[in-house]
Amino acid sequence: MVVRRSNGDVVESFGSSREVTAPEHEITMTMNGPHQPTNPWAPLTPEQQEARKVVNVNAETVTNTAATDIPGHYGPEQDDSWNLERFRDNFRIDFHHNKPHDAAFSLVGCDASISNAFRRILLAEVPTLAIEDVFMFNNTSIIQDEVLSHRIGLIPLTGGEKGLRWLRWFRKKPPTDDFASQAAYDADGEPSTPSDYNTVVLELKVDCRWATEAEDGRDGKKLAKEGETDPNVRYVNSNVYARDFRFLPQGQQGTYFSGDDAIRPVNPDILIAKLRPGQKIHLQCHCIKGVGMDHAKFSPVATASYRLLPQITITSPILGADAKKFARCFPKGVIGLEPSDESDPDSEPKAVVKDPMKDTVSRECLRHDEFKGKVKLGRIRDHFIFSVESTGQLRSDELFLDSVRLLKAKTERFKRHLAEFEEGR
Amino acid sequence: MSREQYNPAPLSQGGNAGGSSSQQQTTGGFNITGASNTFEDTSRPVSYLCGDCDTKVLLKGGDAIRCKECGYRVLYKERTNRMIQFEAR
């Protein structure tokens, strides 16, 4: 169970992936012998510090997967205690690209638990506005009321950011057959009534008809007789798109959602239904704020994910034709070719690692005998390449900041509860 | 029964949903009512659709079930004019 080290090697019998280099009896000798060469509890050398950051990706196994920067893991002299100063000095965020619908950045120097918390909060806990209630007045299209309601619920909406932040929660009554949540709902607070600060009203009213000379400058029926088959020519409003939603501002909403800030679908070209002459859809929607854990339509991101930075170490030079083959084992741009002799540009090409960020860690290079023992693959344990793709309601970078704010609020609440617990309340 | 609640609209004009009466001037859009509620009134004609020529046929209580345009005897009932509430889930 106890981790003992001599000459920097770990000798232990529990959980570690480090190699055992010295047999047990040798260790006992060095421990008890008169000439103890090194301190078995010495803090890690800088090389060991670097090595423990790497997850080894071998041909068929992945080793060294668990983080070891836990106080006491390497004995009393290795200081792994968490320290705000040290975290602040080591932590880094580098942006790779930052577009409203797609942001990619690196979080360097934080634990997997923290990055994973951000990812999960992004998916399930950042509130967004989505259609929740559908009031169907008329629907003679072939798509059923229930299916149509579900379909329009999934349309991502957007609007002025200030107004979206101004909107408050709508406390919705739980389903009547869910007694547990019904009891919880009745226990605390007043039920919400639809009001301008918690509900947004949208209307969809579309009638399909034949195109006429008077209104559209073409006679659909005549064209149909002549052999026209395109519904867009024969009919008017044969396709219902997300852009057909009309925002009906209520009360103060006019000041927050006016002009370019109006509540509208992010993608105006989403096809909602198809109609034929005489069919119509007339409905009103109530949109409320919700979180992704309740329903996926409230999730502010299409995806929020991270991966660890790949590390490729070429331990002995790969030259000539092998170098070209080696480069082909990786995606384009990961491996570059340079002259092996810097002074002579015509010398044999040598494989060098150009951009490990682009690598997918496919391990293709480990399948070929000519690279055996020449390359090591791994991933950096504390370098998270985050990718946040917003559905369009809020900007991707703003969403990540929201997730940070939410985690902070949750920890503060947790601390408050702990303090109350301590005071015996 | 939980998902698609069937909420019959009130017979009388006025709000079924919504906040206090003072809010109703500014937030009238929260009050969802059907356009007109003409059910349970046998003296008023009900419109049907002809199965053959697709024209609207207005019929009262004791009328013959027959299209006035083409004489076709199959008529289809129109969709209810009452509002139906769904959850977008």
Side-chain angles (χ1 to χ4, degrees):
Chain A
M1 294 282 257
V2 181
V3 181
R4 290 191 185 130
R5 289 181 304 116
S6 66
N7 305 323
D9 293 320
V10 171
V11 179
E12 47 88 65
S13 57
F14 181 68
S16 167
S17 58
R18 294 264 194 115
E19 280 174 23
V20 179
T21 50
E24 195 67 43
H25 66 271
E26 267 181 45
I27 295 298
T28 13
M29 271 175 58
T30 46
M31 292 296 286
N32 302 333
H35 305 295
Q36 199 171 332
T38 48
N39 176 11
W41 301 111
L44 295 179
T45 60
E47 296 84 62
Q48 288 172 321
Q49 293 267 22
E50 281 306 306
R52 74 169 180 175
K53 273 190 183 177
V54 181
V55 178
N56 301 315
V57 179
N58 313 317
E60 278 160 17
T61 54
V62 179
T63 55
N64 197 25
T65 51
T68 56
D69 49 355
I70 301 150
H73 191 94
Y74 291 110
E77 285 178 33
Q78 166 67 23
D79 182 17
D80 278 329
S81 61
W82 200 83
N83 179 312
L84 182 62
E85 276 320 72
R86 201 178 325 151
F87 178 77
R88 190 189 294 147
D89 292 343
N90 291 332
F91 186 66
R92 216 171 74 230
I93 295 187
D94 307 324
F95 266 88
H96 306 307
H97 58 257
N98 185 15
K99 291 177 275 183
H101 289 213
D102 179 17
F105 51 88
S106 288
L107 296 187
V108 190
C110 80
D111 194 68
S113 55
I114 305 295
S115 348
N116 198 43
F118 290 144
R119 184 188 64 84
R120 290 185 56 162
I121 288 173
L122 274 171
L123 289 172
E125 288 176 52
V126 176
T128 59
L129 187 77
I131 294 168
E132 172 68 10
D133 283 310
V134 180
F135 303 95
M136 202 78 71
F137 298 114
N138 202 357
N139 170 28
T140 52
S141 69
I142 52 158
I143 184 162
Q144 297 91 335
D145 292 5
E146 295 89 337
V147 181
L148 183 64
S149 304
H150 174 242
R151 194 168 165 75
I152 59 181
L154 294 170
I155 296 170
L157 303 173
T158 187
E161 195 191 323
K162 203 175 146 217
L164 289 171
R165 292 201 185 277
W166 163 76
L167 282 176
R168 281 187 261 162
W169 296 104
F170 182 86
R171 248 171 69 82
K172 205 177 175 225
K173 243 181 135 68
T176 45
D177 54 358
D178 188 351
F179 299 108
S181 49
Q182 194 117 49
Y185 176 83
D186 292 337
D188 53 11
E190 286 282 298
S192 293
T193 48
S195 203
D196 56 351
Y197 54 78
N198 61 21
T199 308
V200 170
V201 183
L202 296 179
E203 191 184 37
L204 181 67
K205 191 173 189 181
V206 187
D207 283 18
C208 182
R209 57 178 170 77
W210 284 92
T212 57
E213 196 72 55
E215 283 171 284
D216 316 302
R218 61 180 196 275
D219 189 350
K221 284 186 179 169
K222 202 178 128 215
L223 287 168
K225 268 188 195 134
E226 286 164 13
E228 178 61 60
T229 52
D230 185 1
N232 291 318
V233 178
R234 287 158 63 133
Y235 319 126
V236 175
N237 288 334
S238 63
N239 292 339
V240 184
Y241 291 105
R243 58 170 167 265
D244 298 328
F245 270 107
R246 208 158 58 87
F247 169 51
L248 308 175
Q250 309 293 327
Q252 279 190 72
Q253 285 172 7
T255 57
Y256 286 101
F257 304 113
S258 59
D260 286 347
D261 289 342
I263 301 286
R264 63 191 183 277
V266 178
N267 308 292
D269 294 332
I270 297 173
L271 184 66
I272 297 172
K274 291 204 169 194
L275 302 180
R276 282 298 175 263
Q279 297 181 342
K280 54 185 73 172
I281 291 175
H282 181 201
L283 51 89
Q284 271 191 21
C285 306
H286 280 186
C287 315
I288 61 170
K289 261 192 172 183
V291 287
M293 66 172 97
D294 180 31
H295 193 285
K297 69 185 173 187
F298 291 121
S299 191
V301 290
T303 60
S305 63
Y306 58 74
R307 61 194 178 103
L308 296 178
L309 177 73
Q311 190 190 46
I312 304 159
T313 323
I314 297 173
T315 46
S316 70
I318 299 169
L319 302 163
D322 276 2
K324 281 181 184 160
K325 188 179 178 187
F326 186 70
R328 282 205 306 277
C329 291
F330 294 89
K332 253 190 199 132
V334 176
I335 301 294
L337 298 177
E338 275 177 13
S340 50
D341 186 359
E342 276 174 39
S343 56
D344 177 13
D346 295 327
S347 60
E348 225 182 359
K350 179 182 76 170
V352 286
V353 180
K354 270 253 169 73
D355 188 4
M357 184 96 64
K358 286 181 180 164
D359 190 24
T360 56
V361 199
S362 66
R363 309 193 216 183
E364 174 67 14
C365 63
L366 302 178
R367 297 177 66 234
H368 301 281
D369 285 338
E370 49 267 60
F371 311 129
K372 204 149 251 173
K374 290 184 173 177
V375 61
K376 277 179 86 179
L377 297 182
R379 284 183 182 273
I380 311 290
R381 195 198 309 286
D382 64 350
H383 188 131
F384 298 91
I385 306 168
F386 242 92
S387 150
V388 180
E389 286 178 37
S390 167
T391 53
Q393 186 158 122
L394 297 161
R395 292 197 327 275
S396 298
D397 53 348
E398 192 60 41
L399 278 175
F400 182 75
L401 292 181
D402 274 357
S403 77
V404 177
R405 285 185 202 112
L406 265 166
L407 183 63
K408 203 173 162 191
K410 282 161 88 101
T411 46
E412 268 161 14
R413 187 162 69 231
F414 183 60
K415 270 170 79 180
R416 202 170 59 241
H417 285 317
L418 276 182
E420 283 173 12
F421 187 61
E422 219 164 318
E423 287 163 26
R425 267 187 280 152
Chain B
M1 193 50 208
S2 64
R3 287 284 157 86
E4 292 85 32
Q5 282 180 35
Y6 180 68
N7 281 14
L11 283 166
S12 59
Q13 286 308 107
N16 62 337
S20 63
S21 56
S22 62
Q23 276 185 332
Q24 270 180 6
Q25 278 101 41
T26 53
T27 60
F30 297 123
N31 300 324
I32 304 293
T33 50
S36 58
N37 302 296
T38 56
F39 64 103
E40 288 177 359
D41 186 358
T42 48
S43 64
R44 288 183 78 155
V46 181
S47 71
Y48 295 86
L49 290 172
C50 172
D52 192 27
C53 63
D54 203 37
T55 50
K56 254 190 185 172
V57 184
L58 290 170
L59 293 181
K60 275 210 274 292
D63 288 355
I65 299 163
R66 194 144 198 227
C67 173
K68 281 166 181 126
E69 300 290 322
C70 64
Y72 198 68
R73 290 183 187 275
V74 176
L75 300 180
Y76 291 101
K77 198 165 175 49
E78 276 195 316
R79 186 199 156 100
T80 173
N81 58 7
R82 282 190 277 177
M83 185 276 293
I84 308 173
Q85 182 182 350
F86 292 92
E87 264 188 332
R89 276 165 192 261

